[in-house]
């Protein structure tokens, strides 16, 4: 089997002209285009390069500063110098990292209190506005300490990892597509949505265990291990582990609402994200930065459309599916002998003793006993969560803009 490299290749000592004694098949590589055949470009990573709207990473030697320079010439780094080039290159990465940090870490207290309000059928205060949410967050933090608002964060990361891993494994060993191609059809869309539904169903017992960890009161809660979420999920599948009451719903009853919520959340967020990206692309198409008039603001704006679209998609999906999420969480928590914080006072605990027979019974019971606002208990936490997300994104943008202006 012959090696797929030029005969004159000599590792790091290769100079394009062959060895000291070139063989009959050796030939020099005298141009950048020929060298580009053997040098591959790394994949596009959002925020890792200073790309503008709609650009792709060009191949080595084609349309890049290195392409216009000879092998012995220095590439052009631009007017800003190497410092501005490096800072501009990592600007998008830093903004995206700040967005992920806000979504998964900084917003976790809002997620904890939001879930506690959703499953608290005793509550008289529905916390539909952010003002009451902030007040109860302060009370819980004062009586139980900061850990009360950060509980279960490790298990949420584990569930996300299980979901992503399951999706990758299923798509690898089945014909179900993980991503839709440009020439998609109804069959491909159906297979893709089926993959999403199966992924949520497989991760369902671990999601239940993570939900219990996030709503369980810190007053009576033991210190759970990192992998307790996995152990509890497996125990619920095989019917072993922590004892539950007879009101615990079988996993088969939870399958449909869990898959429905996961698939609808994905569909809504995908549609909104595509629409927002289309609008932003259309509005900014006449303001594309060029090499001669590239400003700091335009360079930063090149990274934000995708983040704004992702933010809007997640917000719309959470708001539209909030009533279904309330029903889903109450079904998952039933029969787990969970004791939650009193979201009316902030310094007492309450048991969860619901007796729903299924999704339809849960919907009818909430509508009859708590009214339509009962489906939106804790909605103020969503407002606080996404307001915080916007503030962090805007603050990060201002910081990077200031740094780039100082360097340039």
């Amino acid at each position: 089997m012959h090696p797929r490299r030029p005969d004159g290749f000599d590792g790091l000592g290769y100079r394009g002209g062959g060895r000291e004694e070139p063989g009959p098949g050796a030939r020099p590589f005298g141009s950048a285009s020929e060298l580009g055949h053997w040098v591959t470009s790394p994949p596009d990573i959002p925020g890792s390069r200073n790309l503008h709207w709609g650009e792709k990473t060009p191949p080595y030697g084609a349309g890049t500063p290195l392409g216009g320079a000879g092998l012995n010439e220095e590439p052009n780094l631009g007017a800003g110098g190497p410092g501005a080039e490096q800072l501009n290159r990592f600007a998008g990465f830093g903004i995206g990292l700040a967005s992920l940090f806000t979504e998964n870490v900084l917003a976790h207290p809002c997620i904890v209190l939001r879930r506690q309000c959703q499953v608290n059928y005793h509550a008289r205060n529905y916390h539909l506005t952010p003002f009451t949410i902030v007040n109860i967050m302060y009370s819980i933090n004062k009586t139980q300490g900061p850990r009360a608002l950060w509980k279960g964060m490790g298990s949420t990361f584990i569930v996300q990892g299980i979901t992503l891993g399951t999706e990758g494994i299923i798509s690898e060993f089945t014909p179900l597509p993980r991503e839709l191609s440009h020439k998609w059809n109804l069959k491909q869309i159906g297979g893709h949505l089926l993959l999403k539904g199966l992924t949520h169903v497989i991760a369902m017992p671990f999601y239940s265990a993570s939900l219990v960890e996030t709503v369980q009161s810190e007053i009576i809660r033991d210190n759970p291990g990192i992998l307790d979420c996995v152990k509890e999920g497996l125990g619920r599948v095989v019917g072993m582990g922590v004892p539950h009451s007879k009101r615990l719903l079988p996993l088969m009853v939870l399958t449909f609402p869990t898959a429905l919520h996961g698939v609808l959340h994905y569909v809504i967020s995908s549609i909104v994200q595509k629409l927002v990206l289309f609008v932003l692309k259309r509005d900014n198409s006449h303001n594309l930065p060029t090499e001669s008039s590239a400003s700091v603001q335009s360079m930063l704006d090149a990274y934000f459309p995708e983040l704004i679209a992702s933010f809007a998609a997640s917000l719309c999906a959470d708001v539209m599916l909030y009533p279904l999420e309330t029903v889903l969480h109450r079904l998952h928590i039933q029969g787990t002998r969970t004791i939650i914080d009193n979201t009316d006072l902030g310094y007492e605990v309450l048991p969860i003793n619901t007796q729903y027979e299924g999704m339809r019974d849960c919907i009818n019971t909430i509508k009859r006993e708590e009214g339509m606002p009962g489906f939106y208990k804790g909605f103020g936490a969503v407002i606080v969560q996404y307001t915080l997300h916007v503030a962090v994104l805007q603050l990060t943008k201002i910081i990077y803009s200031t740094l780039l202006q100082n360097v340039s």
Side-chain angles (χ1 to χ4, degrees), residues 137-155:
M137 287 176 68
Y138 173 78
S139 300
I140 293 177
N141 180 76
K142 183 178 180 180
T143 56
Q144 302 182 32
R147 290 183 56 184
L149 298 176
W150 297 91
K151 55 194 175 185
M153 187 170 63
S155 64

Side-chain angles (χ1 to χ4, degrees), residues 42-242:
D44 289 307
I45 302 175
S48 63
R49 292 175 181 81
N50 195 17
L51 300 178
H52 304 312
W53 186 277
E55 291 185 358
K56 296 291 185 180
T57 301
Y60 186 94
T64 63
L66 290 176
L71 294 177
N72 297 325
E73 298 179 13
E74 292 295 330
N76 182 19
L77 293 177
E85 181 74 15
Q86 288 291 334
L87 190 58
N88 183 36
R89 179 178 299 176
F90 291 104
F93 174 76
I95 294 171
L97 187 63
S99 177
L100 290 176
F101 174 80
T102 305
E103 183 179 352
N104 295 283
V105 179
L106 204 58
H108 190 74
C110 300
I111 296 175
V112 169
L113 197 56
R114 156 184 168 181
R115 292 180 174 182
Q116 283 190 326
C117 293
Q118 285 178 321
V119 301
N120 187 4
Y121 64 96
H122 305 278
R124 301 292 182 183
N125 192 339
Y126 287 8
H127 298 294
L128 302 177
T129 65
F131 307 105
T132 58
I133 281 290
V134 172
N135 185 34
I136 200 65
M137 287 176 68
Y138 173 78
S139 300
I140 293 177
N141 180 76
K142 183 178 180 180
T143 56
Q144 302 182 32
R147 290 183 56 184
L149 298 176
W150 297 91
K151 55 194 175 185
M153 187 170 63
S155 64
T156 57
F157 287 122
I158 292 177
V159 172
Q160 291 181 11
I162 292 175
T163 303
L164 292 175
T166 302
E167 183 176 342
I169 293 174
I170 295 177
S171 62
E172 184 71 22
F173 294 97
T174 64
L176 300 179
R178 190 173 187 178
E179 300 291 342
L180 292 177
S181 62
H182 295 291
K183 297 181 179 180
W184 50 265
N185 50 42
L186 294 179
K187 181 179 180 180
Q188 189 181 35
I189 293 177
H192 184 61
L193 296 181
L194 179 60
L195 172 63
K196 294 294 182 180
L198 289 176
T199 300
H200 286 284
V201 170
I202 294 176
M204 177 175 58
F206 308 103
Y207 181 83
S208 296
S210 174
L211 177 63
V212 172
E213 286 190 14
T214 54
V215 302
Q216 184 85 280
S217 177
E218 189 71 18
I219 297 176
I220 53 92
R221 177 173 174 263
D222 297 329
N223 293 326
I226 299 178
L227 298 179
D228 279 3
C229 170
V230 179
K231 183 177 66 175
E232 297 268 343
L234 293 175
R236 184 160 185 179
V237 173
V238 300
M240 300 176 60
V242 178

